[in-house]
Amino acid sequence: MQFNSSHDVVILGSGAAGLVAAIAASDEGADVGVFEKSELLGGTSAMSGGIVWMPNNHLQSEAGKEDSRQDALDYLGALALGQIDSDMAATFVDEGPQMLQYLDENTPCSFHLLATYPDYHPEHPGGKPEGGRSIDNGLFPYPSLGDWADRIRNQRGANPVMLIETPLGGATEMPPAETIGKRMQDGENGMGLGLVGALLKGCLDRGVEPSTRAKAEHLLIEDGRVVGVEITNGDETQLIEARKAVIIATGGFEWNEELCRTFLRGPMTAPAGSPENTGDGLVMAMEAGARLGNMRNAWWVPVTRIPGEEQFGAPSVHLILLERTRPGSLMVNSTGKRFCNEAGNYNSMGGVFHEFDPTAFDYPNLPAWLIFDHAHKMRYDVAGAPPGAEVPAWMRSGDSIEALAAEVAVDPETLAATLGRFNEYASKGEDPDFGRGESAYDTFNGDQSLPGVQATLAPLAGPFYAIPIELGSLGTNGGPKTDTRGRVLSLAGGVIPGLYAAGNAMAAATGMVYGGAGGTLGPAMTFGYIAGRNAAAE
């Protein structure tokens, strides 16, 4: 086979998993090549909040916050519903803290404890309602990247804040305008842009320069071993040799409608990740005979779409989290009834949205409507509409709940009864139907300027507003199954020699469990680290 170029380790994808794999492999002495399908680096990681969920991490210990290996395993096990590989979960819990500390000490990454951010299911065994497992990344100066600064996937311009400084991270107010201005002048970015920027700088410092517009088409296999990959760039095709291994870190398949219909357990109509995530790595792994796992699951999230809005050439979405958690709001289905704790963890919402009615033969909770009142609209941002702004054309409204029901085609009597019951109990600070406000997670994401359950529960009074809610995903989390060293397992038994996977391109190490803020990035980066080190040692 005639190769155009050669590396020890070839990494497909430039999200957090791929970049961490590149750093780890390089530090083990490997010559590393990173190939990115898009013209932009960072994938969904760059678009994310950049938070890393990591139980029993070194920052917890330094802050005097208690955690343990056993607590972490108990917590994951309590939420797994039998769909987790205990060896993979234990590997994440054992190796993840080492990965985090390694990056903290050996790269430009700077990590900070989100000291009060609770786990997503803190009342379960091993959960931490007082926080400490979710890690923010610091601001990163983009000018230090030189020309590479403009080659990272940037969702909505500069992002000169850390999550811990925003309402989503528990802050009651944003940094002062002069602070924001100074950071913008200095080119400092936080969240996903900060994380990817720092990881990219770590790669560049090691002489690893990613190739963009380089789409992996097929794995090259000789005598049962993966020895390289076929890459296309426009009309040009190149064969890239991997002297040791190929690491698939191409993200999920949420933008591939056929794969979603084939594998996911129910509808997912509004993906929120990078539009480049079309399952390329999954298809290549299947061609090579990989075992698959966790294919029915994704990192679910309720979203709304504003007509005509696009990013990166595809329809864009707004994640709906604070809107459904703050007081003065509730969510109903097509029959006008509530169907869940609106303030619950977004990933867990996938279950209620996929509830199936065998008589009507449909999904009654898809789409749903988020309903909020005038006080809510005047005080809070809703899907990008600033507090108190004029009602945008895409937002439904009505002076009475009956008038709003007509706008959203819901039975007015049912909706009025739903509102009446909700208001009766919300005025007492109670939700006997779904327990909204009982979890520390519910109130954390509410209005923290208000005490106790008032942070999330309050009666609604007209005028009323509504926006449609769909089920999206931050990414799929099924793919080729790996062993605890990141090696892809074969349908024929054993491993596929020379093939590794990490991130959303692999069967998630935590199964369907999204443990807390950063529950995607924590395992993704951990198995990037594991795959990189082991691939370099081939």
Side-chain angles (χ1 to χ4, degrees):
M1 196 176 297
Q2 193 70 32
F3 294 104
N4 299 96
S5 62
S6 181
H7 300 278
D8 291 331
V9 176
V10 171
I11 298 169
L12 308 178
S14 66
L19 295 178
V20 171
I23 290 169
S26 179
D27 284 356
E28 291 295 317
D31 169 51
V32 178
V34 176
F35 295 86
E36 166 59 50
K37 169 184 178 180
S38 170
E39 64 180 346
L40 299 172
L41 300 168
T44 301
S45 299
M47 300 165 63
S48 75
I51 305 304
V52 180
W53 188 74
M54 191 58 60
N56 207 25
N57 63 76
H58 67 287
L59 299 177
Q60 281 176 293
S61 179
E62 293 169 5
K65 283 188 167 289
E66 292 188 5
D67 201 357
S68 70
R69 178 182 192 270
Q70 193 58 53
D71 278 355
L73 292 176
D74 287 347
Y75 179 64
L76 291 173
L79 300 170
L81 299 181
Q83 296 189 42
I84 200 168
D85 182 317
S86 58
D87 289 338
M88 293 292 285
T91 299
F92 162 58
V93 170
D94 291 340
E95 299 277 345
Q98 299 176 34
M99 176 277 299
L100 191 75
Q101 188 162 7
Y102 183 83
L103 293 180
D104 212 3
E105 295 174 353
N106 295 281
T107 73
C109 292
S110 173
F111 297 112
H112 305 269
L113 202 67
L114 281 165
T116 61
Y117 208 125
D119 284 339
Y120 281 175
H121 306 276
E123 288 75 29
H124 283 67
K128 299 298 176 185
E130 69 280 4
R133 288 174 171 168
S134 292
I135 308 298
D136 203 354
N137 58 277
L139 297 167
F140 178 76
Y142 263 51
S144 67
L145 291 171
D147 292 341
W148 290 90
D150 295 326
R151 300 175 67 180
I152 295 177
R153 187 172 296 275
N154 190 334
Q155 191 171 14
R156 291 187 177 95
N159 194 3
V161 293
M162 296 167 59
L163 188 83
I164 200 171
E165 299 173 322
T166 72
L168 191 58
T172 54
E173 58 183 38
M174 296 283 284
E178 57 268 25
T179 299
I180 298 293
K182 178 65 165 58
R183 291 175 181 176
M184 293 183 70
Q185 183 179 344
D186 294 341
E188 293 185 313
N189 282 296
M191 301 194 201
L193 289 178
L195 178 64
V196 169
L199 291 173
L200 175 59
K201 185 64 163 63
C203 288
L204 298 176
D205 289 345
R206 290 162 171 80
V208 178
E209 295 192 358
S211 298
T212 55
R213 297 180 179 175
K215 183 179 185 295
E217 299 283 1
H218 303 284
L219 296 172
L220 305 176
I221 301 174
E222 285 187 345
D223 299 325
R225 180 180 184 86
V226 174
V227 297
V229 62
E230 177 186 317
I231 298 286
T232 58
N233 186 335
D235 295 331
E236 182 183 2
T237 298
Q238 292 192 332
L239 304 186
I240 311 298
E241 183 182 23
R243 294 185 292 264
K244 293 178 178 287
V246 171
I247 301 175
I248 295 174
T250 51
F253 56 88
E254 63 271 16
W255 283 92
N256 186 314
E257 291 184 11
E258 181 181 359
L259 291 176
C260 287
R261 284 195 305 269
T262 300
F263 290 115
L264 294 183
R265 69 187 186 200
M268 190 282 295
T269 56
S274 166
E276 306 289 347
N277 293 343
T278 54
D280 302 356
L282 172 62
V283 172
M284 286 187 287
M286 288 193 294
E287 288 177 346
R291 287 177 59 190
L292 303 181
N294 210 50
M295 296 304 297
R296 63 199 297 269
N297 293 314
W299 306 120
W300 312 107
V301 61
V303 302
T304 196
R305 287 192 282 189
I306 298 175
E309 278 197 357
E310 290 190 352
Q311 62 178 353
F312 310 124
S316 64
V317 301
H318 289 263
L319 309 186
I320 301 300
L321 173 57
L322 298 181
E323 292 91 338
R324 58 185 168 80
T325 304
R326 288 165 167 165
S329 69
L330 59 82
M331 198 156 56
V332 300
N333 62 17
S334 59
T335 69
K337 297 178 180 179
R338 290 180 70 212
F339 56 94
C340 67
N341 169 10
E342 297 90 347
N345 158 291
Y346 46 87
N347 183 58
S348 300
M349 291 284 176
V352 293
F353 278 107
H354 283 154
E355 179 182 332
F356 185 72
D357 183 335
T359 302
F361 217 78
D362 68 3
Y363 297 91
N365 301 331
L366 275 174
W369 292 96
L370 178 72
I371 295 175
F372 49 100
D373 66 4
H374 191 64
H376 184 106
K377 185 182 180 305
M378 293 299 290
R379 185 165 184 170
Y380 308 119
D381 174 287
V382 176
E390 184 178 347
V391 180
W394 52 267
M395 190 179 288
R396 311 295 179 87
S397 62
D399 289 336
S400 67
I401 197 64
E402 291 81 6
L404 184 71
E407 287 288 318
V408 300
V410 167
D411 178 68
E413 291 185 6
T414 303
L415 184 57
T418 296
L419 179 67
R421 179 174 174 82
F422 179 85
N423 282 352
E424 176 188 352
Y425 286 102
S427 63
K428 303 174 185 176
E430 301 174 4
D431 179 16
D433 296 324
F434 298 103
R436 177 170 166 180
E438 294 177 5
S439 171
Y441 176 78
D442 296 359
T443 52
F444 180 85
N445 282 319
D447 185 339
Q448 294 205 357
S449 69
L450 299 173
V453 73
Q454 294 178 43
T456 186
L457 271 181
L460 281 69
F464 300 96
Y465 307 87
I467 59 174
I469 303 296
E470 298 180 61
L471 181 61
S473 80
L474 302 174
T476 54
N477 55 19
K481 285 182 66 68
T482 69
D483 66 6
T484 57
R485 292 170 59 184
R487 301 178 298 181
V488 173
L489 300 177
S490 171
L491 272 173
V495 302
I496 298 176
L499 186 61
Y500 291 73
N504 284 350
M506 67 179 274
T510 57
M512 63 182 289
V513 179
Y514 203 123
T520 299
L521 282 174
M525 293 167 63
T526 298
F527 276 88
Y529 174 73
I530 291 169
R533 295 178 67 198
N534 283 291
E538 284 269 349

